[in-house]
Amino acid sequence: MAGANRQFLVRKAGGRPQVVPEGCTNLDFIGQYAEVPDDVVFTVGYSVRTAWTAVATLLNLDRQPPPVYKGDHDPKALVDALHTMHRR
């Protein structure tokens, strides 16, 4: 399988390294190559979140990356999806 499809293959937990591996002080992984819990790898937000996490962690900043959007917990998104599924 080639290209972008590989990012959607089933994988086990720990298949990607943490953004900043435990014990590292000058190494990070960003983009789709790093692990971000509860996020979708094929988005710009994912890449931004990994970079934000790396910078904040390595510089010891007290800043968290923007939260992961949980569309499956958003009532409006769920109602909109239901309406879209039932269109004829």
Side-chain angles (χ1 to χ4, degrees):
M1 187 171 285
N5 295 339
R6 285 188 184 160
Q7 296 177 15
F8 298 108
L9 290 174
V10 177
R11 60 187 179 82
K12 62 182 179 179
R16 292 185 181 107
Q18 295 297 313
V19 174
V20 178
E22 189 173 329
C24 288
T25 58
N26 63 353
L27 172 74
D28 63 65
F29 296 93
I30 60 172
Q32 69 268 26
Y33 306 105
E35 183 69 41
V36 176
D38 299 325
D39 202 352
V40 178
V41 70
F42 201 65
T43 64
V44 173
Y46 193 95
S47 295
V48 169
R49 200 167 285 104
T50 59
W52 185 308
T53 300
V55 169
T57 301
L58 294 174
L59 295 178
N60 293 318
L61 302 176
D62 189 24
R63 297 197 54 182
Q64 296 296 315
V68 175
Y69 174 69
K70 303 271 189 193
D72 59 335
H73 297 299
D74 182 351
K76 182 182 180 327
L78 294 173
V79 169
D80 289 347
L82 185 61
H83 284 285
T84 300
M85 290 187 332
H86 289 292
R87 284 188 193 165
R88 292 184 180 195

